[in-house]
Amino acid sequence: MIIGDQSVKMFIMKEQEILRGLTSEQEKAVMFGSGPCLVVAGAGTGKTSVITRRISWLISKKLAKPDQILALTFTEKAANEMTLRVDELSDYVYSGLSISTFHSFGSDLISEFSYELGLSPDVRVLSSAEQVLFIKDKIFEFNFIHYQNLGDPSAMIKDLVKIFSRAKDEAVMPEEWIKKAKNKMKKSKDEAEREESEKELELANAYKKYNDLLRENGYIDYGDQIFLILDLLKKPSVAKKIRERYLYVLIDEFQDTNYVQSEVVRRIFGDSGNVMVVGDDDQSIYKFRGASVSNILDFKKSYEGARTIVLNKNFRSTQKILDISYKFINHNNPNRLEVKEKINKKLISDLGEGADPRLHLFSDETKEADFVAEKIEKELKKGKSPTDFAILVRANRHAEEFVLALKKRGIPYVFSGLAGLYQKIEIKNLISLISILSDPEDDLSLFHLSASEIYDFDMTDLAILSSYSRKNNKLLLSVYEKIDTLPKEVEVSDNTKEKAKKVFEDLKILREESKTSTAGEIVNLFLKNSGYYAKLTKEAKSGSLEAHNKINNIASFFDRVISFQRNYRDHSLEKFARYLE
C-alpha cells in the first residue's frame, strides 16, 4: 500500500514539473483533451514549451505511447531543440518518439514504403542545383517550342525548377494539369488565348516529362518527399498502417505550411482527429516559397469542432516594442485571424514597459553605419562588451557598410549569415581555383587567384602580365609558365616571377591529382600546399577574429563539398565546378 502511495506521489510531482511556470493559457494547450485544436501563439509566447510539454503530458498521462505521437516542424534545428527539451522533462529517453521536419517525415515514409511507389529504398534526393543540372543534361527530351533557349538555358531551367516545385507544393498531378491545359486550349477564343494555352500545355507536359525522367533515373526531388505521400495514402493497406500508427500530431509554425503538407496531415488524421497546430498568421513569411496562410486562417473550417487557444503573454520584448508592432500589423486587417475569429491577439509583455524604441533617419547607408558604430564604440569605452551588441540587417549585402564602419574603429565583430558564403573573399579564392583547374583558359579566375592574399602578387606586375597575355593572344597561365623568357619590355620583379612559377607548379600538381582525386581532396591539398590554411590558423591563434571567421567559412564551404559528394555519383572537380556554377 505504501508503494502505491509513493507511486501516486511521484506521478503528481512529475505532473507538477511538466506544468511548472506555464501561464493559464499555456496550461490549457498542454492539457487539452482530444480532437483538433488551434493554438494561436504570438511572437515570444513560448510555443515550443507548449509543444514539448504537451508531448510529455500525453505520455505521462498514458494517453499515448511515445511512438504514437508525431511532432512536425520546419527545420532540423527546431526539431533537435524540441527533442532536447522533451528529454529534459523526462526521466528517460522516449524511444520511438517522432519529432522531425515535414521532409524528414516524408523521406522516412518513402523509404519504408518505397516498393509501393516503385522506388529503391535508398532513392536519392536531388538538391535544387542538381535539379538544374539534371534538366540541363536532358533538355532535348522536353521538346520545347515556346520555352526553347538553346543559347543559355540555365535561367529558363531555374524558373522551370521553381514552377515544378510550386506545382508539387500545391499537390498538382501532371495528368490533371495536362487535361486542364488541353481544355483551356479548346476554349480559346483568339490567337492570343490559344498561344497562352499552348504555353501552359508545354509546361504541363514538361512537368510530366520531368517526373518521368526522375523515376527512370532513380531520383526524387525535395518536393517529392511530401508530394509522394499523397500517392501512398491512396493505397488502402498503406494508409491504414500509417493512420493506425499515430494517435496525436503536433505541428509547429502552421502558418508556414503549404497546401500539400496540410493535406497530408488531414488525410492521415481526418477532419476531427487529434491534430494540434501551433502558429500565428501575423508571422507568415514563406508565401514566396509556397506557404499558404489560408491553412491557419481556415483551420476551423477544415477541422470539425476545432477549439482555439490564444497565447498572448510575451516573454521576449518590452511592452512599448509590442505596442508599436501591434499598431503596424493591424494594417493587415480585416484579413487577419484576430478579426476573422474575433479573438484578442494583442501581446502583453512579461518584461514591463521598457525604453522607448528610437527611429533615426539618414541620408545614406554610410552615415547610418557610422552612427551605429560610433554608438557601440562609446558604450565599449564605458565598459560594455562587444558581445552585448547585435546589428540586424535585412540581407547580407546590407551588412557591408556596418562591417566597414566597425573595422575602421577596430571594433571586433562576427558576421553570421551563410547565405552569402560564396561572396566571402576566401571562398571566392577557392572558387577561382576550381574554375582555373577545370578551365585553363579562365584568365579572369587566374587573375583573381594571383591577386588574392594566398599568392599576393604585386598589382602593377600582375596588370603588366595580364596586359601582355591579352595583346599577344596568350593564356595568362602560359605567360606564367614562360615567365623567365618573356621579352625585355615586360618588366616585372623577381619576386613576382617566383610567385608566377609557384602558381603554375601548384596548378600543375593539382590538375594531375584531379585525375584520381575528388573535388574535396583537391581543395584540401591546395589549402595545404599553398600554405593558406596554415597562415590563417597561425593568425587565428594570435587572436585574429577575421582569420577565425575565414576558417569557419572555409569549413562551411567544405560542408557544401561533402553534401555534393554525398548526393552526386561523379565526385570530380569538373563536375563540382558545374555544380557550383
Side-chain angles (χ1 to χ4, degrees):
M1 188 69 182
I2 294 174
I3 295 173
D5 288 343
Q6 283 289 91
S7 297
V8 170
K9 187 176 180 181
M10 287 187 69
F11 179 77
I12 292 172
M13 287 175 66
K14 190 65 187 173
E15 186 175 312
Q16 290 174 341
E17 179 68 25
I18 292 172
L19 300 177
R20 182 180 295 165
L22 296 179
T23 66
S24 59
E25 294 305 307
Q26 286 176 324
E27 270 195 25
K28 284 181 187 176
V30 170
M31 300 169 66
F32 182 77
S34 58
C37 179
L38 168 61
V39 179
V40 182
T45 56
K47 63 181 178 60
T48 304
S49 288
V50 166
I51 294 173
T52 53
R53 295 194 192 208
R54 177 161 174 77
I55 292 170
S56 296
W57 172 266
L58 291 171
I59 297 170
S60 67
K61 279 289 196 180
K62 293 184 167 46
L63 294 171
K65 296 175 183 177
D67 59 2
Q68 292 175 316
I69 299 172
L70 172 65
L72 295 171
T73 186
F74 280 83
T75 65
E76 292 291 349
K77 183 180 178 182
N80 292 335
E81 183 187 350
M82 283 188 189
T83 303
L84 184 63
R85 289 211 203 176
V86 172
D87 287 345
E88 288 172 350
L89 288 166
S90 64
D91 294 326
Y92 55 92
V93 176
Y94 290 136
S95 176
L97 179 62
S98 182
I99 301 178
S100 70
T101 64
F102 268 97
H103 287 88
S104 291
F105 170 66
S107 180
D108 289 343
L109 285 182
I110 289 171
S111 180
E112 181 180 353
F113 298 103
S114 57
Y115 296 123
E116 299 282 352
L117 292 166
L119 299 170
S120 167
D122 58 349
V123 62
R124 199 158 69 81
V125 183
L126 294 184
S127 66
S128 297
E130 289 172 329
Q131 284 175 263
V132 173
L133 288 176
F134 179 75
I135 294 175
K136 197 171 184 179
D137 288 342
K138 311 282 184 183
I139 194 70
F140 293 107
E141 296 189 43
F142 285 85
N143 298 317
F144 285 120
I145 299 173
H146 293 285
Y147 293 102
Q148 187 171 223
N149 185 350
L150 299 179
D152 180 18
S154 296
M156 181 266 287
I157 292 172
K158 286 177 185 175
D159 287 338
L160 278 179
V161 168
K162 290 177 184 176
I163 291 168
F164 297 161
S165 177
R166 181 58 65 88
K168 290 180 182 181
D169 288 345
E170 297 295 328
V172 176
M173 299 296 175
E175 294 76 12
E176 291 175 4
W177 191 2
I178 291 171
K179 183 179 178 182
K180 181 181 175 184
K182 286 180 176 177
N183 288 337
K184 190 176 177 181
M185 187 180 292
K186 288 178 183 176
K187 296 176 182 178
S188 299
K189 296 175 183 176
D190 52 39
E191 284 301 310
E193 284 189 9
R194 181 170 182 80
E195 184 181 53
E196 201 61 38
S197 301
E198 286 176 356
K199 288 180 180 178
E200 184 171 345
L201 181 59
E202 190 168 298
L203 284 177
N205 283 323
Y207 180 49
K208 183 177 186 307
K209 186 66 178 177
Y210 167 70
N211 286 305
D212 290 344
L213 287 170
L214 283 179
R215 302 299 173 269
E216 288 171 17
N217 289 272
Y219 300 141
I220 61 174
D221 63 22
Y222 194 62
D224 280 328
Q225 290 180 306
I226 302 296
F227 183 64
L228 290 177
I229 306 305
L230 293 180
D231 278 347
L232 276 179
L233 293 171
K234 289 176 184 176
K235 301 175 184 294
S237 60
V238 176
K240 184 181 178 184
K241 283 181 184 178
I242 296 172
R243 285 173 187 144
E244 289 178 347
R245 184 173 296 175
Y246 302 108
L247 291 181
Y248 292 87
V249 63
L250 298 98
I251 305 175
D252 187 23
E253 306 287 9
F254 191 66
Q255 76 278 355
D256 291 328
T257 54
N258 56 41
Y259 174 78
V260 73
Q261 289 166 337
S262 178
E263 188 64 11
V264 162
V265 172
R266 194 185 65 79
R267 290 193 192 182
I268 293 175
F269 291 90
D271 58 7
S272 58
N274 297 321
V275 178
M276 177 176 281
V277 301
V278 182
D280 177 18
D281 60 306
D282 292 334
Q283 296 182 65
S284 180
I285 59 172
Y286 288 122
K287 188 175 181 180
F288 72 94
R289 214 168 62 182
S292 177
V293 74
S294 63
N295 287 341
I296 194 167
L297 294 174
D298 297 333
F299 181 79
K300 294 185 79 171
K301 291 180 183 177
S302 303
Y303 288 87
E304 189 180 322
R307 290 268 308 280
T308 302
I309 298 172
V310 181
L311 308 181
N312 53 15
K313 187 170 184 179
N314 177 282
F315 301 94
R316 186 184 298 159
S317 305
T318 59
Q319 193 61 50
K320 289 189 176 180
I321 292 174
L322 297 177
D323 289 345
I324 289 175
S325 302
Y326 187 69
K327 184 178 179 180
F328 278 118
I329 206 69
N330 270 311
H331 288 293
N332 289 341
N333 289 337
N335 300 314
R336 294 173 59 241
L337 199 60
E338 185 172 34
V339 176
K340 288 177 177 287
E341 290 293 319
K342 295 180 174 61
I343 56 178
N344 178 20
K345 288 178 59 182
K346 192 173 191 305
L347 299 177
I348 308 301
S349 175
D350 189 55
L351 303 177
E353 285 293 302
D356 289 328
R358 283 164 290 173
L359 172 66
H360 298 275
L361 300 177
F362 302 93
S363 58
D364 59 54
E365 293 175 352
T366 302
K367 289 178 181 176
E368 178 188 14
D370 283 339
F371 172 83
V372 171
E374 187 180 330
K375 281 279 185 186
I376 294 173
E377 187 176 38
K378 286 179 181 177
E379 293 300 317
L380 292 177
K381 288 177 181 177
K382 293 177 184 178
K384 291 283 182 70
S385 166
T387 56
D388 291 330
F389 302 92
I391 301 172
L392 305 181
V393 294
R394 284 193 64 190
N396 285 320
R397 66 181 182 276
H398 298 153
E400 292 176 8
E401 289 291 345
F402 293 98
V403 167
L404 289 173
L406 293 172
K407 274 185 175 179
K408 189 165 65 177
R409 289 168 173 78
I411 299 172
Y413 67 91
V414 174
F415 177 73
S416 60
L418 292 179
L421 181 67
Y422 296 129
Q423 298 307 311
K424 301 285 191 297
I425 189 67
E426 59 275 15
I427 305 306
K428 282 185 173 181
N429 293 338
L430 296 182
I431 292 173
S432 293
L433 166 78
I434 291 164
S435 297
I436 187 63
L437 285 175
S438 57
D439 179 9
E441 296 185 7
D442 189 349
D443 281 359
L444 185 60
S445 290
L446 181 56
F447 185 95
H448 287 316
L449 187 63
S450 302
S452 73
E453 62 178 324
I454 301 172
Y455 292 107
D456 195 24
F457 273 50
D458 176 87
M459 288 306 295
T460 301
D461 285 354
L462 183 56
I464 291 171
L465 294 175
S466 180
S467 174
Y468 173 77
S469 72
R470 285 197 309 274
K471 288 177 180 177
N472 292 274
N473 199 26
K474 295 177 182 290
L475 294 178
L476 186 56
L477 192 60
S478 68
V479 173
Y480 286 8
E481 182 183 10
K482 296 176 176 152
I483 194 75
D484 286 330
T485 59
L486 296 179
K488 288 184 179 180
E489 63 266 21
V490 186
E491 291 186 22
V492 293
S493 68
D494 290 339
N495 187 31
T496 295
K497 288 181 179 180
E498 290 307 310
K499 287 180 178 180
K501 291 175 187 176
K502 177 165 174 52
V503 172
F504 181 79
E505 285 304 315
D506 284 354
L507 294 178
K508 183 179 178 182
I509 291 168
L510 291 170
R511 192 169 287 113
E512 187 64 28
E513 285 291 328
S514 68
K515 293 178 181 177
T516 54
S517 300
T518 65
E521 289 168 341
I522 293 299
V523 175
N524 194 46
L525 184 62
F526 168 73
L527 289 169
K528 180 182 175 183
N529 287 357
S530 66
Y532 185 46
Y533 196 77
K535 173 179 173 289
L536 290 178
T537 304
K538 183 179 179 181
E539 291 174 1
K541 286 180 179 178
S542 299
S544 170
L545 191 59
E546 187 175 5
H548 179 74
N549 288 339
K550 286 180 179 180
I551 290 171
N552 284 339
N553 289 332
I554 290 171
S556 297
F557 181 74
F558 265 98
D559 288 340
R560 310 282 173 100
V561 178
I562 290 167
S563 177
F564 158 76
Q565 293 182 174
R566 187 189 302 120
N567 295 311
Y568 225 85
R569 293 187 182 96
D570 184 349
H571 297 170
S572 69
L573 192 78
E574 183 183 359
K575 201 70 174 180
F576 183 61
R578 291 184 63 201
Y579 178 83
L580 275 178
E581 186 185 334

